[in-house]
């Protein structure tokens, strides 16, 4: 729920012994396609099944088995491309990427090398305080996921689980447009939001459904790009930031000592806070790409692309602009409210029942704060949109004060119920009777003659009296009425 803060341009540079250095970052995001079946077989993609229970003969690479393309995965890739304003290629091809690993039964991965289904696009990323950056999308292609090697079940043996083998992935390749770890984290957050809005990937990094290969290089400001290293399979946004900072400093130390950076693939160890070499970085020719002879070129009709475009939901940037325009919320609040589709929907339901700005304040500060504290997703919120909307309406019409509203929110969170009925049954109504309020004010003034003289000399001390009156009334007195009566009584 938290939004990124603005990063001043100067803070993007890292100070070294020989001067400032600039980080250059590009990301390859592997997003598991939301689909019931795998990319080239009918096996289930369900998470958490017992090992090797979702494996067809195709997934296990049995002799003679032929891949059959799951067209829903194609449609999801097109939706994603449209969501990042990218070129949709009506003709694309599948290639074999050859390498050997125990959890890759075929000895190759079916991917898209020369002709991906999605071409160049862009993601607009909010960095806070009105600053935005544009991160270019180089391409999005479909490919198979590999299986999973398990090394911690036996001291002498490794095991292989092929449930994930053949699951459809979208590899979303950015251009090297990011210059700080904060920009990279904000980009991944925004991209995940877009994928979730569209429904093409659930973005669950804990399950490995979204992970990143992070390409990092450093250079002196204005110099040509340096040699990059790729950090593989980083599975949390926080770790992406840590990996970038760690790797950049490692490269700077080497360069300032007169060394050279080797292009290689590395792993990030979050426990030790270091990256370590995994293997020398392969180039395309190392994989001996060639067109997959079992798959014809993929041809998509423009009419299908148009149909998918028409069926897209309102995307985050459009929703944010509408919230600012129609509800009058600040750009920052609109950004926070639209980070998740469910959060945006919740807010709109609350806003329809009361003042939108007040609704935004309650959703962001009270509801999101409590959900984050308890680790509860908004879809499981104990307080419904109707209940929170009812609370906001009671505040707006003066039935309850802000302080009582917070007490009422706690009751709704722990016990539930109808907000208006709770106010009536528990005597929580705001006291607007000026005679009753005046009586409490008189009592507080009479009990504190020394403070009265101080307040006359220093009017800002009237706030102390307001607090005492509100306390004496159990928070039920109308704050504006208290202020007005106090000013009159104190002669300030």
């Amino acid at each position: 729920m938290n939004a990124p803060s603005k990063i001043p341009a100067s803070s993007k540079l890292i100070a070294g012994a020989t001067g400032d250095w600039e980080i250059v970052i590009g990301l390859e995001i592997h997003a598991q396609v939301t689909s019931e079946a795998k990319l080239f077989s009918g096996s289930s993609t369900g998470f958490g099944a017992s090992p090797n229970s979702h494996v067809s003969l195709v997934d296990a690479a049995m002799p003679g088995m032929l891949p059959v393309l799951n067209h829903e995965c194609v449609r999801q890739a097109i939706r994603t491309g449209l969501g990042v304003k990218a070129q949709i290629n009506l003709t694309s091809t599948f290639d074999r990427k050859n390498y050997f690993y125990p959890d890759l039964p075929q000895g190759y991965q079916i991917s898209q090398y020369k002709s991906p289904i999605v071409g160049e696009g862009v993601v607009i990323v909010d960095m806070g305080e009105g600053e935005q950056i544009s991160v270019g999308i180089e391409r999005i292609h479909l490919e198979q996921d590999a299986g999973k090697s398990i090394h911690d079940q036996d001291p002498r043996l490794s095991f292989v689980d092929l449930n994930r083998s053949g699951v459809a992935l979208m590899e979303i390749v950015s251009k090297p447009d990011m210059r700080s770890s904060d920009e990279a984290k904000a980009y991944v957050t925004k991209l995940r939001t877009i994928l979730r809005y569209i429904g093409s990937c659930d973005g669950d990094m804990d399950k490995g459904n979204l992970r990143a290969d992070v390409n990092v290089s450093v250079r002196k400001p204005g110099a040509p790009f340096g040699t990059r290293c790729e950090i593989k399979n980083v599975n949390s946004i926080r770790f992406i930031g840590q990996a970038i900072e760690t790797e950049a400093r490692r490269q700077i130390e080497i360069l300032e000592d007169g060394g050279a950076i080797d292009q290689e693939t590395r792993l990030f160890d979050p426990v030790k806070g270091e990256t370590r070499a995994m293997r020398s970085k392969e180039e395309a020719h190392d994989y001996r790409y060639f067109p997959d002879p079992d798959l014809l070129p993929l041809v998509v009709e423009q009419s299908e692309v148009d149909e998918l475009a028409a069926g897209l939901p309102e995307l985050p940037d459009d929703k944010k602009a509408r919230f600012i325009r129609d509800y009058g919320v600040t750009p920052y609040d609109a950004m926070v409210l639209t980070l998740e589709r469910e959060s945006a929907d919740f807010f709109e339901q609350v806003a329809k029942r009361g003042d939108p700005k007040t609704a935004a304040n309650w959703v962001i500060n009270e509801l999101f704060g409590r959900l984050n504290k308890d680790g509860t997703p908004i879809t499981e919120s104990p307080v419904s949109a109707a209940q929170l909307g009812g609370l906001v309406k009671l505040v707006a019409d003066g039935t309850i004060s802000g302080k009582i509203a917070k007490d009422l929110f706690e009751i709704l969170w722990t016990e539930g119920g109808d907000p208006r009925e709770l106010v009536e049954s528990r005597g929580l109504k705001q006291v607007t009777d000026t005679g009753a309020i005046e009586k409490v004010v008189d009592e507080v003034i009479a009990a504190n003659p020394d403070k009265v003289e101080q307040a006359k000399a220093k009017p800002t001390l009237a706030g102390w009296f307001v607090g005492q009156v509100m306390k004496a009334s159990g928070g039920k007195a109308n704050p504006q009425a208290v202020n007005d009566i106090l000013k009159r009584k104190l002669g300030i």
Side-chain angles (χ1 to χ4, degrees):
M1 302 291 182
N2 296 324
S5 57
K6 181 178 178 181
I7 310 298
S10 60
S11 72
K12 297 177 186 179
L13 301 178
I14 295 181
T18 60
D20 289 337
W21 294 83
E22 182 180 54
I23 315 175
V24 178
I25 305 157
L27 296 175
E28 298 167 17
I29 303 294
H30 298 269
Q32 180 174 319
V33 176
T34 298
S35 169
E36 294 294 321
K38 296 183 180 181
L39 184 55
F40 296 112
S41 82
S43 297
S44 170
T45 59
F47 179 80
S50 56
N52 297 307
S53 60
H54 291 168
V55 185
S56 72
L57 296 176
V58 173
D59 306 325
M62 291 293 106
M65 295 299 103
L66 295 176
V68 177
L69 180 61
N70 178 351
H71 196 69
E72 177 56 24
C73 296
V74 175
R75 291 169 67 87
Q76 292 285 46
I78 293 172
R79 289 186 186 103
T80 302
L82 292 168
V84 296
K85 300 176 175 59
Q87 170 67 39
I88 306 301
N89 297 321
L90 299 182
T91 301
S92 59
T93 58
F94 287 97
D95 304 281
R96 290 188 181 181
K97 180 180 180 180
N98 296 275
Y99 66 96
F100 300 95
Y101 208 73
D103 55 23
L104 189 71
Q106 298 168 144
Y108 60 85
Q109 177 191 42
I110 301 177
S111 181
Q112 294 188 301
Y113 173 54
K114 287 190 176 179
S115 303
I117 190 166
V118 177
E120 293 189 350
V122 67
V123 174
I124 305 300
V125 182
D126 288 299
M127 296 305 300
E129 297 184 26
E131 183 188 2
Q132 293 183 326
I133 61 167
S134 296
V135 178
I137 299 296
E138 183 71 40
R139 56 188 276 146
I140 301 174
H141 62 260
L142 284 166
E143 64 183 21
Q144 296 171 301
D145 203 351
K148 182 180 180 182
S149 296
I150 303 169
H151 306 294
D152 58 358
Q153 302 295 308
D154 187 281
R156 297 165 299 170
L157 302 173
S158 290
F159 298 89
V160 174
D161 178 8
L162 295 179
N163 280 348
R164 208 169 64 186
S165 177
V167 167
L169 297 178
M170 294 178 289
E171 182 168 331
I172 305 168
V173 183
S174 85
K175 295 184 177 181
D177 290 344
M178 289 156 279
R179 296 294 180 268
S180 72
S181 59
D182 285 307
E183 288 186 353
K185 290 190 294 182
Y187 163 73
V188 177
T189 300
K190 180 62 174 289
L191 183 60
R192 183 173 65 174
T193 296
I194 293 171
L195 295 174
R196 285 175 167 172
Y197 267 66
I198 292 168
S200 59
C201 174
D202 66 15
D204 192 332
M205 300 186 85
D206 291 334
K207 293 179 180 177
N209 295 351
L210 190 78
R211 51 193 191 268
D213 294 342
V214 185
N215 290 281
V216 179
S217 66
V218 297
R219 64 177 179 178
K220 292 290 187 178
F225 287 156
T227 302
R228 63 186 169 88
C229 291
E230 181 183 49
I231 308 164
K232 293 289 289 184
N233 288 329
V234 187
N235 65 352
S236 88
I237 292 174
R238 181 165 59 91
F239 289 166
I240 287 171
Q242 292 176 359
I244 290 168
E245 295 285 341
T246 301
E247 176 61 18
R249 292 187 182 282
R250 183 191 74 87
Q251 293 184 20
I252 289 169
E253 287 180 11
I254 291 173
L255 293 170
E256 292 193 326
D257 285 343
I261 303 300
D262 295 324
Q263 184 171 331
E264 60 187 1
T265 300
R266 301 180 69 84
L267 291 174
F268 175 62
D269 185 335
V271 176
K272 294 182 179 178
E274 64 182 22
T275 65
R276 60 175 182 271
M278 183 180 175
R279 59 177 181 264
S280 60
K281 175 63 180 171
E282 295 88 353
E283 300 290 352
H285 64 263
D286 294 317
Y287 291 115
R288 305 189 319 283
Y289 281 101
F290 63 87
D292 193 301
D294 295 330
L295 291 163
L296 292 171
L298 172 60
V299 179
V300 179
E301 298 294 332
Q302 184 62 48
S303 58
E304 184 174 18
V305 176
D306 295 340
E307 172 207 328
L308 292 170
L312 285 179
E314 184 180 34
L315 293 173
D317 288 343
D318 298 328
K319 195 179 289 287
K320 176 189 170 187
R322 180 170 63 82
F323 280 12
I324 295 169
R325 181 184 68 246
D326 294 355
Y327 295 122
V329 299
T330 66
Y332 176 85
D333 285 353
M335 178 181 64
V336 174
L337 290 166
T338 55
L339 282 174
E340 300 287 349
R341 188 175 178 180
E342 294 81 4
S343 300
D345 292 344
F346 192 104
F347 161 72
E348 288 213 79
Q349 293 178 53
V350 176
K352 288 172 183 175
R353 292 172 167 83
D355 174 60
K357 292 182 180 179
T358 306
N361 181 57
W362 273 89
V363 170
I364 293 171
N365 296 317
E366 301 300 328
L367 182 71
F368 286 177
R370 187 62 181 268
L371 290 171
N372 288 338
K373 179 182 176 184
D374 291 3
T376 304
I378 196 166
T379 51
E380 298 172 18
S381 172
V383 178
S384 70
Q387 287 173 316
L388 189 58
L391 181 152
V392 169
K393 190 172 183 181
L394 290 169
V395 174
D397 63 21
T399 303
I400 59 175
S401 66
K403 181 181 183 304
I404 293 296
K406 293 191 176 184
D407 295 337
L408 178 58
F409 180 82
E410 185 63 29
I411 295 170
L412 292 171
W413 186 276
T414 55
E415 302 176 30
D418 178 81
R420 193 168 292 276
E421 290 177 3
L422 287 167
V423 168
E424 294 287 349
S425 64
R426 303 200 184 191
L428 299 175
K429 268 191 173 181
Q430 184 168 244
V431 177
T432 55
D433 178 358
T434 55
I437 296 173
E438 192 162 350
K439 182 182 177 184
V440 178
V441 170
D442 287 340
E443 291 172 357
V444 171
I445 288 176
N448 299 279
D450 55 329
K451 295 282 187 182
V452 172
E453 294 305 317
Q454 292 176 28
K456 287 180 178 180
K458 191 176 182 182
T460 54
L461 287 176
W464 181 87
F465 281 95
V466 173
Q468 295 302 304
V469 173
M470 295 302 293
K471 184 177 179 182
S473 68
K476 296 178 186 177
N478 182 297
Q480 187 58 50
V482 172
N483 265 304
D484 293 343
I485 293 170
L486 270 170
K487 285 180 181 178
R488 176 165 52 82
K489 294 275 184 179
L490 293 171
I492 58 175

